[in-house]
Amino acid sequence: MGGEFVVSVVFPCSGRLPLSVSLLYVVACRLFELVVLLARRERSKELEILVLRHELTILRRQATSPRFTPGDGLLLAALSRVLPRRCWHAFIVGPETLLRWHRRFVAAHWTYPRRPGRPPIDDATRELILRLARENTNWGYVRIVGELRKLGIDVSATLVRNVLKAAGVPPAPERDRLDWRSFLRAHAATTLACDFLTVDTVLLRRLYVLVFIRIGSRRIEYVACTTNPDGAWMLQQARNLLMSLDERDRRPRFLIHDRDTKFSRAFDALLDSEGIRVIRTPVQAPNANAHMERWVGSARRECLDRLLIFNRRQLERVLRVYVRHYNEQRPHRALDLRAPDPSHGPPTRSGLVGSAASVRRRDLLGGLIHEYEAAA
């Protein structure tokens, strides 16, 4: 068609342009196209509009949901404010979409940047808040704020609450509930635990071993063996235990045992009459008597599972040797690798460095257990 010309604008760029530059480029192109349209005759415009409408109908039948960039949405929303509403059928999107885009751009234009709030606390302060809450279960938020203020750290009670909530630490009324672990830690020095373990002899005769351990020091206080742990035998062992404790002036306040029927009411009543409160563990909860279970496992792994037991007399001798080793020589993790009842203090290291011959070994139970000490 005569009198028509095409204007092409090329922006030198590399990579993806920002939204403002891309929008300016699109607007500039549309302005040039508008100038070209104004210079053309009405007939050619109408024919081109007819062709473009038909092509748009074809593309709508084939295309699914088109994707619009922010620049496309801004341009179409701006044109919708100029074009009459009766002509909005020319847009590829519906009126609701155009209005939504317009509201979004207006909101983005009048939205002010957010002011920065309180600066976040450092990791050291956060860890200190958690430490104070865990070590003092009855301290509330305000009490923790006061303790921190004495240390020169100024925080609010709301911040303390948010820190504890983010770490999963409950508030003071819930933290202050006395759990089983806290009870044992507070009364470990005056608490005994007892339990049975069984040993089968070579002739498949079952022997029962009753063991008492002091939770605080991990010391084995009393061990007894029998083939028939009836009520009379249990009462006698309770009396023997009390006499051995009185000799060392180590009378406990609590005794923990499970709900085995061998621990009769008469057994508990005898101990209760001597001022020892009996605490029964929950049903099928061996972790409530974990110290005793740990000792049973150690005795089996280190001694009993490595020997063939023929009779009760041999078992008593083996347990007597192992208990002495356990109390006086065996190091324990809970005691900073010290023995529960060491027979002597730690030796000096003078003369031991580089001299393996100055360390003497003593064999127990036929070499099953070794003990080492510095030679005189």
Side-chain angles (χ1 to χ4, degrees), residues 210-225:
L210 177 62
V211 184
F212 293 83
I213 186 173
R214 188 176 293 270
I215 293 179
S217 63
R218 301 299 197 274
R219 187 181 191 279
I220 302 300
E221 297 290 352
Y222 184 74
V223 177
C225 303

Side-chain angles (χ1 to χ4, degrees), residues 58-328:
I58 296 174
L59 293 177
R60 285 179 177 177
R61 289 200 305 261
Q62 297 178 0
T64 55
S65 57
R67 297 181 179 180
F68 298 94
T69 63
D72 298 333
L74 180 59
L75 181 61
L76 293 178
L79 293 177
S80 68
R81 309 307 297 174
V82 181
L83 194 65
R85 184 178 291 269
R86 65 177 182 272
C87 300
W88 279 14
H89 64 274
F91 292 107
I92 195 173
V93 296
E96 295 81 5
T97 305
L98 292 173
L99 294 176
R100 186 175 68 252
W101 285 348
H102 183 262
R103 290 193 299 267
R104 187 183 302 168
F105 290 127
V106 171
H109 176 73
W110 292 107
T111 300
Y112 295 97
R114 295 183 178 180
R115 297 180 179 179
R118 294 175 61 93
I121 62 173
D122 55 300
D123 295 338
T125 304
R126 180 181 292 103
E127 292 299 327
L128 183 57
I129 293 174
L130 295 175
R131 175 186 173 185
L132 293 178
R134 288 166 178 164
E135 294 180 355
N136 305 274
T137 57
N138 60 339
W139 284 11
Y141 304 140
V142 179
R143 175 65 185 277
I144 295 177
V145 171
E147 293 294 331
L148 292 175
R149 192 166 296 174
K150 292 194 311 183
L151 300 175
I153 303 174
D154 188 11
V155 296
S156 65
T158 304
L159 187 141
V160 172
R161 178 183 65 85
N162 294 335
V163 169
L164 297 183
K165 184 178 180 181
V169 179
E174 298 181 19
R175 294 199 317 270
D176 199 29
R177 295 175 182 174
L178 186 63
D179 57 357
W180 187 247
R181 178 177 297 181
S182 301
F183 173 81
L184 291 181
R185 187 182 297 113
H187 301 86
T190 58
T191 302
L192 290 180
C194 66
D195 200 1
F196 277 95
L197 73 143
T198 58
V199 178
D200 293 327
T201 64
V202 175
L203 301 178
L204 302 182
R205 187 179 183 183
R206 176 152 294 184
L207 301 176
Y208 296 88
V209 180
L210 177 62
V211 184
F212 293 83
I213 186 173
R214 188 176 293 270
I215 293 179
S217 63
R218 301 299 197 274
R219 187 181 191 279
I220 302 300
E221 297 290 352
Y222 184 74
V223 177
C225 303
T226 185
T227 58
N228 183 24
D230 54 6
W233 185 84
M234 291 293 296
L235 291 177
Q236 184 60 45
Q237 304 314 311
R239 298 186 186 97
N240 295 342
L241 170 68
L242 294 174
M243 288 189 294
S244 64
L245 293 175
D246 290 338
E247 292 177 357
R248 294 187 295 269
D249 194 17
R250 295 180 177 181
R251 181 64 69 89
R253 294 180 55 195
F254 303 96
L255 174 66
I256 301 173
H257 65 68
D258 56 20
R259 297 179 180 270
D260 195 333
T261 56
K262 290 187 285 293
F263 297 107
S264 61
R265 294 182 180 273
F267 176 84
D268 294 346
L270 175 60
L271 295 174
D272 186 69
S273 63
E274 296 293 333
I276 301 176
R277 178 184 173 187
V278 176
I279 301 176
R280 292 174 173 262
T281 61
V283 179
Q284 295 182 353
N287 57 328
N289 200 3
H291 300 86
M292 194 68 254
E293 297 290 340
R294 178 61 184 268
W295 184 87
V296 172
S298 299
R300 290 190 183 280
R301 287 190 304 270
E302 300 174 5
C303 179
L304 298 178
D305 289 347
R306 295 184 167 189
L307 293 173
L308 292 177
I309 303 299
F310 290 91
N311 50 43
R312 183 171 62 89
R313 184 177 179 180
Q314 179 193 6
L315 179 60
E316 290 176 346
R317 185 182 66 84
V318 169
L319 288 175
R320 186 166 54 252
V321 174
Y322 180 75
V323 168
R324 187 199 60 79
H325 165 74
Y326 187 90
N327 288 339
E328 299 179 2

